[in-house]
Amino acid sequence: MTLSVVRTAAEFTAATDNARSNRLEVGLVPTMGALHPGHRSLVERARAECNFVAVTIFVNPLQFDDPADLDAYPRNLEADLALLAEAGADVVFAPDVREMYPDYPRISGTTVHVDGLTDMLEGKFRSGHFDGVATVVTKLFSLTGRCRAYFGEKDFQQVAVVRRLVRDLCLPVSVVACPTVREMDGLAVSSRNVRLSVAERVSASVLHRALVAGATAISEGEDRPKEVREIMFGVLATEQGVDPEYAEVVDPADLTTPGTLSGEVRLLIAARVGSVRLIDNLGALVGSRFGRDLQLFETDQVPSGAGVTTSGETISGVTSSKER
């Protein structure tokens, strides 16, 4: 199989239109490049479920509120293409910024805003971020046409926003949320991790430990959001150089925090480790106990070759990883 790389919107649309004309189901994996095992898992999932896999690589300036963060975002197209060829992608759309925004650096007045899901959590700390996400995703969906679109659950709020815009705009897209891929110590795989120093990389695993502590309390019956937040902040405080922005527990359907927790909930964290901003999340089920020896990789994955399977046994909504 030869990986095709296209640079223009017209070429990309022609490729996906041609696939559908040949009765192939199109799977789309939107990315910003700097690909890692998490991205690879999305492509492999798309490959398993679709006949034609399209990947986009575009560092979208609209979703960066800090120009320095945009400039520092890692880019390595050659390595990305090698990974995608191995993972089974058919076509890669890698446009330059003016292909997506012809008047850049001036942005046109047409943007997409998803109300109700974008003013809390990430939206509170990253002004305009989700308008940028919603705008570029809508553009990519328009260029791709009918498809299944694959996103990682690590960006849990983003998945919720994309699902809402697909529903509200009646787009012919099925959004597929895929498990978070983690390092052996629980740190969610991220393109930003390469910017951590050795010491910061060690400290960064505290985000997952904080989520596990909160999820453990919830599974044992804690139903007060304030108490769960305090537990997570307490764990985050054990590592120097980690500056938390938020630690919340929400209803996964609408991202609001109920007065009393019940049923399935989602814990979300954001923190700066040194100068690098990281996010993570974990699901939990209120009042469902599990064995203390279980690791909480709820619907999560560990990179293949790490000695741990990429799926596990689900117990009361919490998944434990098992060795091969």
Side-chain angles (χ1 to χ4, degrees), residues 9-20:
E11 290 174 306
F12 182 61
T13 297
T16 56
D17 282 350
N18 182 65
R20 279 186 299 272

Side-chain angles (χ1 to χ4, degrees), residues 238-293:
T238 64
E239 288 285 350
Q240 293 185 347
V242 176
D243 182 18
E245 289 188 348
Y246 62 78
E248 297 289 345
V249 55
V250 303
D251 183 326
D254 59 12
L255 305 183
T256 62
T257 300
T260 301
L261 304 177
S262 63
E264 294 183 11
V265 297
R266 181 67 55 158
L267 300 90
L268 301 101
I269 276 180
R272 290 191 179 274
V273 181
S275 63
V276 182
R277 188 176 187 277
L278 301 175
I279 62 173
D280 201 356
N281 67 87
L282 194 67
L285 191 61
V286 178
S288 295
R289 297 183 64 86
F290 48 86
R292 293 189 178 186
D293 59 330

Side-chain angles (χ1 to χ4, degrees), residues 2-6 12 15-16 52-56 89-93:
T2 301
L3 178 65
S4 174
V5 181
V6 299
F12 182 61
T16 56
F52 185 86
V53 177
V55 179
T56 64
D90 294 292
V91 64
V92 175
F93 177 40

Side-chain angles (χ1 to χ4, degrees), residues 152-233:
E153 279 194 337
K154 184 182 76 70
D155 298 293
F156 191 82
Q157 187 174 7
Q158 174 177 275
V159 174
V161 169
V162 172
R163 281 180 166 151
R164 179 69 61 81
L165 78 85
V166 165
R167 185 198 71 178
D168 289 354
L169 299 181
C170 302
L171 300 178
V173 176
S174 297
V175 177
V176 182
C178 300
T180 300
V181 174
R182 298 186 178 279
E183 304 287 356
M184 288 298 295
D185 62 356
L187 178 67
V189 173
S190 169
S191 301
R192 297 174 184 270
N193 293 352
V194 299
R195 294 166 52 191
L196 297 168
S197 69
V198 173
E200 289 167 348
R201 171 61 187 82
V202 173
S203 297
S205 64
V206 75
L207 273 72
H208 187 253
R209 296 201 302 273
L211 290 168
V212 168
T216 300
I218 289 170
S219 72
E220 294 176 347
E222 180 58 72
D223 62 2
R224 296 167 295 177
K226 182 175 182 293
E227 297 300 320
V228 176
R229 285 195 296 268
E230 290 179 354
I231 289 170
M232 291 192 287
F233 276 121

Side-chain angles (χ1 to χ4, degrees), residues 36-46 48-49 150-154 176-190 193 201 208 266 280-283 295-314 318-322 324:
H36 52 62
H39 295 110
R40 179 170 185 141
S41 73
L42 300 181
V43 177
E44 291 175 343
R45 173 79 175 270
E49 297 178 354
Y150 294 81
F151 293 86
E153 279 194 337
K154 184 182 76 70
V176 182
C178 300
T180 300
V181 174
R182 298 186 178 279
E183 304 287 356
M184 288 298 295
D185 62 356
L187 178 67
V189 173
S190 169
N193 293 352
R201 171 61 187 82
H208 187 253
R266 181 67 55 158
D280 201 356
N281 67 87
L282 194 67
Q295 293 177 307
L296 300 184
F297 289 109
E298 189 271 345
T299 69
D300 290 359
Q301 300 181 345
V302 178
S304 59
V308 181
T309 59
T310 56
S311 63
E313 176 186 3
T314 300
V318 179
T319 302
S320 64
S321 60
K322 289 185 175 292
R324 291 191 188 278

